[in-house]
Amino acid sequence: MCTRRNLVAASLAAAVAVSLNAPAAFAQDQKVPVIATFSILGDLVKNVGGDRVEVTTLVGADTDSHVYAPTPADAKRAGAAKVVFINGLGFEGWITRLVKASGTKAPTITVSNGIKTRKMEDDHGHGHKPTDPHAWQSVGNAKIYVANIRDGLIAADPAGRSVYEANASAYLAKLDALEAEVKAVIGEIPADRRRIITSHDAFGYFGAAYGIEFIAPTGVSTEAAVSARDVAKIIAQIRKQKIPAVFMENVTDPRMMEQIAKESGAKIGGRLFSDALSDEKGPAPSYIEMIRNNIHQLASALTS
Ligand SMILES: [Zn+2]
């Protein structure tokens, strides 16, 4: 079947195809370089940008953006970017200085623009309740992020408009399906058990959107120190309100939560992903898998 003549013809055809495709292949190498400040946002930008963009994520998997210290390499990357995507709402306290240091002329797009913001539950003695930056934990808000990313990419690369629009609408459909799944899974948890403790207050938007009460000892940022008195207060609260479970997060030290669980008798639920994705081998390498991981961890701790 496979004669020498066929082989020669095939390799000639392949050679012609390669030379015809060469300019297109070259053009595809010129991806639009963009920055996303943290891994969750990086995944959203990749889904909208697809093959046209090269996304560099500054704060990687399992890393805390609240206390991140940018490197000279980050400034270099930001300097080469066509767009800098940030969460905003005070999440990346270090970004303004980084953008300035990089000398970049690229626009900074705040992807949370247009969401309905909420305040943190507790001021932790600061006298004012700061805006909660963790808006991505509501899938409804993530859809607003995606629309802002699409518009930011179109402004930076108008030739890619149809690609960005198609990618965004395909991804938005996946987020619609995800949100329906979240509501169905949470709906299975008895109403009087939808109350948990997490180590930092990152799930306010999630809780408000889907009807779970999250109580956190640390407040808005992982920077805040927790006193022995705070811990004692939380333990008393768990006992009084019969809170069924406490949860770890991937970006915070688990020891405090282990202590709280031991002393209060609450169950330790699984690990929730709040401010960063896992690496590829972990349970939350993308935004969609992160939300799925979190709802299944919640459901299995609260329904049993
Ligand atoms: Zn956080």
Side-chain angles (χ1 to χ4, degrees):
M1 296 291 277
C2 190
T3 63
R4 169 168 286 273
R5 207 179 132 202
N6 280 347
L7 271 178
V8 170
S11 61
L12 267 177
V16 170
V18 165
S19 68
L20 283 177
N21 282 336
F26 177 76
Q28 275 173 4
D29 286 344
Q30 308 291 306
K31 293 189 179 187
V32 181
V34 305
I35 294 282
T37 46
F38 67 118
S39 54
I40 295 167
L41 178 53
D43 178 57
L44 299 178
V45 175
K46 280 176 198 161
N47 274 286
V48 180
D51 293 337
R52 284 189 77 89
V53 305
E54 182 70 49
V55 184
T56 300
T57 296
L58 299 181
V59 184
D62 295 321
T63 306
D64 182 357
S65 292
H66 293 288
V67 293
Y68 182 69
T71 64
D74 291 337
K76 211 170 157 193
R77 292 189 194 107
K82 290 273 183 273
V83 191
V84 177
F85 289 105
I86 70 168
N87 181 73
L89 308 176
F91 183 57
E92 309 99 330
W94 39 270
I95 191 66
T96 313
R97 232 171 2 164
L98 173 66
V99 164
K100 208 169 162 210
S102 76
T104 183
K105 299 273 184 292
T108 298
I109 306 283
T110 303
V111 298
S112 62
N113 275 347
I115 67 138
K116 191 170 172 291
T117 58
R118 64 184 293 286
K119 296 284 180 196
M120 302 303 299
E121 291 301 333
D122 191 347
D123 68 7
H124 287 264
H126 299 309
H128 68 98
K129 293 184 177 182
T131 298
D132 182 350
H134 306 90
W136 60 84
Q137 288 291 348
S138 144
V139 179
N141 287 340
K143 291 195 273 186
I144 295 172
Y145 281 29
V146 166
N148 286 328
I149 292 164
R150 176 197 61 208
D151 296 348
L153 288 174
I154 290 171
D157 173 29
R161 172 184 283 273
S162 61
V163 174
Y164 300 136
E165 285 176 344
N167 289 350
S169 85
Y171 189 65
L172 286 169
K174 287 187 194 171
L175 293 184
D176 283 335
L178 178 68
E179 191 161 41
E181 193 182 329
V182 171
K183 287 176 178 164
V185 171
I186 302 298
E188 295 286 310
I189 302 171
D192 63 346
R193 290 182 64 82
R194 293 184 197 166
R195 199 188 284 140
I196 66 156
I197 302 267
T198 51
S199 43
H200 94 289
D201 192 0
F203 294 96
Y205 291 93
F206 181 96
Y210 309 116
I212 290 204
E213 191 184 346
F214 287 84
I215 299 152
T218 333
V220 60
S221 167
T222 46
E223 285 170 278
V226 184
S227 66
R229 205 218 224 147
D230 288 337
V231 171
K233 240 166 66 185
I234 289 283
I235 289 168
Q237 188 179 9
I238 291 173
R239 290 187 180 136
K240 188 162 163 237
Q241 301 185 345
K242 299 189 168 54
I243 293 166
V246 301
F247 279 80
M248 313 297 171
E249 285 163 67
N250 63 324
V251 296
T252 53
D253 186 335
R255 284 173 300 189
M256 177 183 67
M257 301 309 285
E258 281 161 2
Q259 185 203 341
I260 288 173
K262 201 170 139 215
E263 292 185 26
S264 67
K267 179 193 316 188
I268 295 203
R271 217 155 57 118
L272 298 179
F273 288 76
S274 55
D275 295 18
L277 300 176
S278 69
D279 64 18
E280 282 304 314
K281 293 190 195 105
S286 71
Y287 176 75
I288 288 176
E289 287 161 296
M290 175 188 82
I291 295 287
R292 274 207 186 110
N293 169 81
N294 290 354
I295 58 174
H296 291 296
Q297 296 289 350
L298 287 170
S300 70
L302 296 179
T303 49
S304 58

